[in-house]
Amino acid sequence: MDGIVKSKIPHERSLITLFKSSPSSSSLSSSTTSSSSSSSWTQVLHSLSPVQTGSKVRHEGDPNSTTNLSSDQTSSQIIENETTQGVGFINGIVGQSGMEWRDVERRFDLVARTGSGTEPVVTWPEFGFCIGMQSSPEFANELLSALRGGEGWKSKITKTDLYNLWFRMKDNSFNSRMRIFFDMCNRNKDGRITETDIKQTILLTASTNKLSVTHDEAENYASLIMESLDKKNKGYIEISQMESLFKATLSKAHSPMKQVSATTGSTQNVHTASGDFCEQHEPMSRTEVLFRTYWRRAWVILLWLLACLGLFVWKFVQYRHRSGFEVMGYCLPTAKGAAETLKLNMALVLLPVCRNTITWLRKHRPINSVIPFNDNINFHKAIAAGIVVGVILHGGTHLACDFPRISASDRSIFRQTIAAGFGYHRPTYAQILATTEVTSGIAMVVLMGVAFSLATKWPRRRSPVLPVSLRRVTGYNTFWYSHHLFVLVYALLIIHSMFLFLTDKLMEKTTWVYIAFPVLLYTGERIFRAFRSGSYEVDILKASLYPGKVLYIKMQKPEGFKFHSGMYIFLQCPQISPFEWHPFSLTSGPQDDYLSVHIRTLGDWSYQIYDLFQEAVLSRSQGCPKLYIDGPYGSAAQDHVKYDILVLIGLGIGATPFISILKDVVKCVQTTQIDHSGLRKCSLPKGPLKAYLYWVTREPNSFDWFRDVMKEISNSTKKQSVVEMHNFLTSVHPEGDIRSALLSVIQALHLAKNGTDIISRTPIHTHFARPNWFNIFSRLARKHGGAKIGVFYCGPSKLARELTELCTKFSTKTTTRFVFHKENY
């Protein structure tokens, strides 16, 4: 079979249709780390595929817009359609995709004014707003000049003029789009484009896409285009030559041939690292996928909830039959039941933050396979939420119900029931509040309220949503220090438990039984961490400052320090604070003789350490600040050893956890091939079949952060092709937009000639705009049919939810299973 499966489900049919087509370059072109530099750059102009202009094809950026493909459509037709799409480089000639004339007309009416005549008009600067290109006013003006041709001196635009211009822009034919772009470059309208014209267009395009291109670089790029087209040294090029350039370069960039060859094994079994074959499976049901994904979390949460419920019911029933019930009614057993759950939760809340214990436990596969250690912070937050509920029930019931009933109780009933517990004196409400047990309880609630409030998202990240006065006293440091109020809270908890109402027997004062082990374990961990970090003062080998306020620190590796790829460490700088420790992923490989981290300045502590190292680097007269390290600690990324296929997705600085993994994967491949004894010299028990890295960033300067690493990995995997890396730059307009068309051409020529990308300055091709994750997952599902793929993500939660849903969707619709993991610190 050719991979087409008939289905009566509309979404599934759309999914299979997408499988049959090749992802666009904005979602995933075949940019392996070594293929681009293997052939001569001049072959680009001789690899032109047949092109049909004006064909209606699916826009890969829109998963809902699909062309109906019957099951008997041949692969040659698909390739032809995709090739046509590849050269449809002005698909996004308008600023907002999906705009129709009614949208343009509405925008026109918003800004139009009546001039000397009766017909409303807009000016040149307002043209960009009307067509949705308001973010690129200079480019919109050049586009308008090209569209109007000889009418360039006409300063006003009527609705009729705009209508004609709009439908010319919406013309799907390649020749029409090519003419518009050529006229934009050909400023003197003589039908010839000189090297100076190209340079000016390059600078305009770079500025529109927020790229920093110098005049020298623009000259080199213009010279590259002229060198490829002006073979007779005429000093200019004509539209036919420009057409051939765009067809050749963009057809090759979007060519489905690589995709077809890469996916011919989609129906074949996948080799594992040990040489075995992955067994073909039928697509799983959504219920089965959700069960496989969440069963470990579910049973832990269920066990916790049942324990809380059991303790509540046990204590409720116990106090339901005591004498105090006659005075306080159901308020008493409710408060006592909630108190019992609070004892349990105050004990459990410490366990998820015992990082050394968790790191040790996750090394044991039987334990790690049933307990979701990757969700330790989420479980910590869930228990904290349980504490909040318990405090409201326990404290609220006491204050609003129990104490008023005691102070207002009938004297005879009071004497016959609970008088002994109060010295045979019925207290007033104020006297009850003044007791040791109540004051200690209120103090605990106040301290916990402060710690919980400052631990929420907005105060912890000093969100601009907060008032200025609050932002000054919030931030990560405030969160960190306030969280250590728990020392006072636990001291008050012991005091509170020793002076309980209506409880005279020591055996019933069981709070210490609940919290003894967790407190001792946590205290032992902190002592161990203090002792270990004291012996792990590191020497700074190198410190570099990267754009975007990113600090790179290369440290001497302490003797005996061993870690696995994907782990992280804590850093402390005594010059900033002798108490604060902050987690950072290790970007050095386990085999490296040094440790390295990349620190992005996102909070007050990171800004301070950046300033200290900046001063040291720039002055060169003083040494770097002293640093202590603590670790290593395990994280979700450690689970990559469970999979033969890895998909690593990082947003911005979120790529850091995956750098050491890629280094380890490459090292494993090299040592496996060199070491014929069968002994592996890497930290992985087995090497994956394939590792994909998708790095999405907003600023082009971000590629400086890992440039050397990317080059090293690219050079190391030229023969093995185990690692495939993809960069995505979201500040540039999507491939297919007229504002990025020339960049795509230059990018293809430069990569073919020099083997480096003009954006990342590495052999890794940079895709423009955000990835189309639906298309990416579809390609992975086709290429690795029947495999179990580990998807590891580090970045904002919004995309995490989308990726989780895609993993579930493709696991249910295909034979490939995607398992999602997110980094949590």
Side-chain angles (χ1 to χ4, degrees):
M1 292 179 64
D2 59 359
I4 298 179
V5 179
K6 294 183 179 180
S7 174
K8 296 181 180 180
I9 303 174
H11 177 75
E12 186 171 344
R13 183 166 58 251
S14 174
L15 188 64
I16 300 300
T17 300
L18 187 57
F19 282 2
K20 284 297 295 178
S21 59
S22 172
S24 67
S25 68
S26 63
S27 61
L28 184 63
S29 65
S30 184
S31 59
T32 56
T33 58
S34 58
S35 60
S36 59
S37 60
S38 60
S39 60
S40 173
W41 74 283
T42 55
Q43 293 178 351
V44 173
L45 296 179
H46 298 88
S47 60
L48 180 60
S49 302
V51 176
Q52 292 182 354
T53 59
S55 300
K56 293 184 179 180
V57 297
R58 176 174 53 82
H59 290 222
E60 288 287 337
D62 182 6
N64 298 319
S65 176
T66 56
T67 303
N68 290 328
L69 297 179
S70 59
S71 58
D72 58 347
Q73 183 174 12
T74 62
S75 59
S76 61
Q77 289 175 310
I78 298 172
I79 293 174
E80 185 177 9
N81 286 342
E82 291 292 341
T83 305
T84 306
Q85 179 189 351
V87 295
F89 66 94
I90 315 182
N91 290 337
I93 194 170
V94 292
Q96 292 186 1
S97 59
M99 283 186 65
E100 300 295 339
W101 167 247
R102 62 178 178 273
D103 303 312
V104 179
E105 188 177 25
R106 189 183 305 113
R107 285 171 170 253
F108 178 91
D109 294 336
L110 286 174
V111 296
R113 65 188 62 83
T114 303
S116 56
T118 58
E119 189 174 2
V121 295
V122 296
T123 61
W124 273 60
E126 294 165 336
F127 171 74
F129 172 79
C130 291
I131 65 170
M133 203 180 281
Q134 64 272 16
S135 62
S136 313
E138 294 183 8
F139 200 94
N141 288 339
E142 292 294 334
L143 175 61
L144 178 58
S145 177
L147 289 168
R148 302 191 74 163
E151 302 179 42
W153 294 105
K154 187 177 179 182
S155 59
K156 305 295 183 181
I157 304 172
T158 66
K159 185 177 289 188
T160 303
D161 294 334
L162 185 60
Y163 180 86
N164 294 328
L165 296 172
W166 173 259
F167 276 93
R168 186 181 170 194
M169 288 187 291
K170 294 291 285 185
D171 189 343
N172 286 331
S173 69
F174 176 76
N175 291 338
S176 174
R177 294 172 177 179
M178 190 68 249
R179 169 55 65 181
I180 294 173
F181 186 79
F182 186 84
D183 290 343
M184 285 187 62
C185 299
N186 183 27
R187 285 172 169 75
N188 59 5
K189 313 303 179 187
D190 62 352
R192 298 175 178 180
I193 298 179
T194 64
E195 187 170 333
T196 302
D197 292 333
I198 297 176
K199 176 185 174 182
Q200 291 176 345
T201 306
I202 291 172
L203 292 173
L204 174 63
T205 301
S207 174
T208 301
N209 289 281
K210 301 176 183 178
L211 295 177
S212 178
V213 175
T214 65
H215 283 269
D216 290 340
E217 289 174 330
E219 286 180 2
N220 292 336
Y221 298 151
S223 176
L224 182 63
I225 293 177
M226 294 298 294
E227 182 182 350
S228 64
L229 295 180
D230 187 19
K231 300 297 184 181
K232 297 182 180 180
N233 295 322
K234 294 180 179 180
Y236 63 87
I237 57 176
E238 297 175 334
I239 189 170
S240 58
Q241 295 168 294
M242 182 69 79
E243 287 179 356
S244 66
L245 174 67
F246 273 83
K247 289 178 180 179
T249 54
L250 297 183
S251 292
K252 190 173 184 65
H254 293 70
S255 173
M257 297 305 295
K258 291 182 180 179
Q259 301 295 337
V260 171
S261 62
T263 59
T264 51
S266 61
T267 59
Q268 298 175 2
N269 294 330
V270 181
H271 286 279
T272 63
S274 61
D276 299 329
F277 287 93
C278 286
E279 199 179 305
Q280 282 289 350
H281 302 283
E282 292 296 324
M284 293 184 291
S285 66
R286 185 177 182 85
T287 303
E288 184 180 359
V289 171
L290 293 177
F291 175 78
R292 286 173 176 262
T293 303
Y294 298 111
W295 74 267
R296 294 192 302 167
R297 303 176 196 174
W299 85 261
V300 171
I301 294 295
L302 181 62
L303 180 63
W304 170 60
L305 292 175
L306 289 175
C308 291
L309 180 62
L311 289 173
F312 181 89
V313 172
W314 170 62
K315 213 65 176 178
F316 186 94
V317 172
Q318 188 180 95
Y319 274 83
R320 169 66 180 80
H321 297 93
R322 292 200 176 186
S323 58
F325 182 81
E326 297 183 29
V327 176
M328 290 170 276
Y330 284 99
C331 298
L332 176 62
T334 301
K336 291 298 184 178
E340 205 68 17
T341 66
L342 277 172
K343 297 176 187 178
L344 174 67
N345 289 329
M346 290 298 290
L348 292 179
V349 76
L350 291 175
L351 298 181
V353 291
C354 293
R355 300 179 187 272
N356 285 293
T357 303
I358 291 176
T359 301
W360 178 76
L361 288 174
R362 70 188 304 147
K363 295 178 182 178
H364 299 77
R365 289 294 294 271
I367 301 176
N368 192 22
S369 62
V370 295
I371 299 179
F373 291 115
N374 295 337
D375 293 307
N376 63 316
I377 298 301
N378 291 330
F379 189 51
H380 177 75
K381 294 177 181 178
I383 298 171
I387 292 175
V388 171
V389 174
V391 166
I392 293 173
L393 275 178
H394 177 68
T397 306
H398 271 326
L399 294 172
C401 184
D402 287 339
F403 299 163
R405 288 194 175 194
I406 293 174
S407 60
S409 64
D410 183 87
R411 290 183 181 275
S412 61
I413 297 177
F414 177 79
R415 284 196 301 268
Q416 294 172 11
T417 55
I418 60 175
F422 293 90
Y424 295 98
H425 169 70
R426 191 185 67 179
T428 64
Y429 191 85
Q431 288 173 333
I432 296 175
L433 293 181
T435 58
T436 302
E437 49 267 56
V438 177
T439 53
S440 60
I442 292 175
M444 275 194 298
V445 172
V446 171
L447 293 176
M448 287 192 291
V450 171
F452 287 0
S453 299
L454 294 175
T456 54
K457 182 178 179 181
W458 286 355
R460 190 175 74 251
R461 298 186 179 181
R462 195 173 283 176
S463 172
V465 177
L466 297 173
V468 177
S469 57
L470 285 179
R471 287 206 301 269
R472 292 174 181 171
V473 296
T474 56
Y476 188 88
N477 284 352
T478 306
F479 151 73
W480 194 90
Y481 284 113
S482 66
H483 236 54
H484 283 73
L485 292 172
F486 79 92
V487 177
L488 295 177
V489 170
Y490 278 93
L492 289 170
L493 180 61
I494 295 298
I495 295 174
H496 181 76
S497 67
M498 292 293 106
F499 295 90
L500 295 177
F501 289 123
L502 311 177
T503 305
D504 298 325
K505 298 178 181 179
L506 184 62
M507 295 300 295
E508 293 186 3
K509 299 178 180 182
T510 58
T511 301
W512 68 272
V513 177
Y514 282 92
I515 68 173
F517 175 74
V519 168
L520 289 175
L521 179 63
Y522 184 81
T523 303
E525 281 223 358
R526 295 304 294 260
I527 295 173
F528 174 72
R529 287 177 59 180
F531 175 78
R532 181 174 61 180
S533 61
S535 61
Y536 275 175
E537 179 184 352
V538 292
D539 295 328
I540 308 300
L541 303 179
K542 180 182 178 181
S544 302
L545 306 175
Y546 289 130
K549 285 189 173 294
V550 170
L551 172 65
Y552 168 74
I553 304 177
K554 182 179 180 181
M555 302 165 283
Q556 184 178 9
K557 191 174 185 178
E559 185 177 354
F561 189 95
K562 296 180 180 180
F563 69 98
H564 298 287
S565 53
M567 284 185 162
Y568 65 95
I569 60 173
F570 279 85
L571 286 181
Q572 183 214 66
C573 180
Q575 286 181 244
I576 300 175
S577 170
F579 306 109
E580 291 185 55
W581 293 85
H582 293 263
F584 297 97
S585 298
L586 286 165
T587 53
S588 52
Q591 301 81 20
D592 296 331
D593 57 358
Y594 62 89
L595 301 177
S596 65
V597 293
H598 288 71
I599 302 174
R600 178 78 182 272
T601 50
L602 296 174
D604 36 17
W605 186 89
S606 57
Y607 271 103
Q608 288 176 292
I609 196 170
Y610 182 89
D611 289 340
L612 288 175
F613 274 89
Q614 183 182 43
E615 184 178 351
V617 170
L618 297 180
S619 65
R620 297 183 181 179
S621 59
Q622 59 183 18
C624 292
K626 181 185 296 185
L627 289 180
Y628 290 96
I629 67 171
D630 177 41
Y633 293 101
S635 67
Q638 265 190 279
D639 287 340
H640 68 275
V641 298
K642 299 178 180 179
Y643 305 95
D644 294 321
I645 309 296
L646 304 180
V647 176
L648 313 173
I649 301 172
L651 268 61
I653 201 64
T656 50
F658 309 129
I659 300 301
S660 65
I661 294 177
L662 293 178
K663 284 185 174 182
D664 208 11
V665 169
V666 172
K667 191 69 176 178
C668 279
V669 173
Q670 293 174 340
T671 55
T672 301
Q673 291 185 349
I674 296 174
D675 187 5
H676 299 289
S677 65
L679 298 176
R680 304 182 68 83
K681 298 180 180 180
C682 59
S683 68
L684 300 180
K686 63 175 182 177
L689 174 68
K690 191 80 172 180
Y692 298 90
L693 173 67
Y694 299 95
W695 184 21
V696 186
T697 185
R698 184 179 301 169
E699 300 296 333
N701 291 334
S702 302
F703 295 121
D704 293 346
W705 303 344
F706 307 115
R707 179 170 296 154
D708 294 337
V709 177
M710 296 296 188
K711 288 181 178 179
E712 177 186 345
I713 295 174
S714 299
N715 294 331
S716 302
T717 59
K718 282 184 177 180
K719 295 181 180 180
Q720 296 89 358
S721 297
V722 174
V723 175
E724 185 175 312
M725 295 181 285
H726 301 271
N727 295 332
F728 292 85
L729 183 61
T730 61
S731 64
V732 179
H733 293 284
E735 293 165 349
D737 193 301
I738 191 173
R739 288 166 287 186
S740 61
L742 191 58
L743 287 177
S744 298
V745 170
I746 297 170
Q747 188 183 44
L749 289 174
H750 195 275
L751 188 63
K753 180 180 180 181
N754 303 308
T756 57
D757 183 79
I758 62 171
I759 306 295
S760 66
R761 315 286 182 180
T762 67
I764 305 166
H765 173 71
T766 301
H767 307 281
F768 299 154
R770 289 178 173 82
N772 187 317
W773 296 112
F774 186 89
N775 287 2
I776 289 175
F777 274 74
S778 71
R779 179 204 180 229
L780 292 169
R782 287 182 302 161
K783 187 173 182 180
H784 303 290
K788 184 178 178 182
I789 299 178
V791 180
F792 295 85
Y793 170 72
C794 185
S797 299
K798 183 178 180 181
L799 180 57
R801 291 189 289 270
E802 179 184 346
L803 295 174
T804 302
E805 180 60 30
L806 284 173
C807 288
T808 302
K809 182 179 295 183
F810 278 87
S811 295
T812 58
K813 299 297 183 181
T814 71
T815 60
T816 307
R817 186 188 170 203
F818 294 87
V819 184
F820 183 75
H821 302 266
K822 183 183 184 299
E823 288 294 313
N824 293 301
Y825 291 109

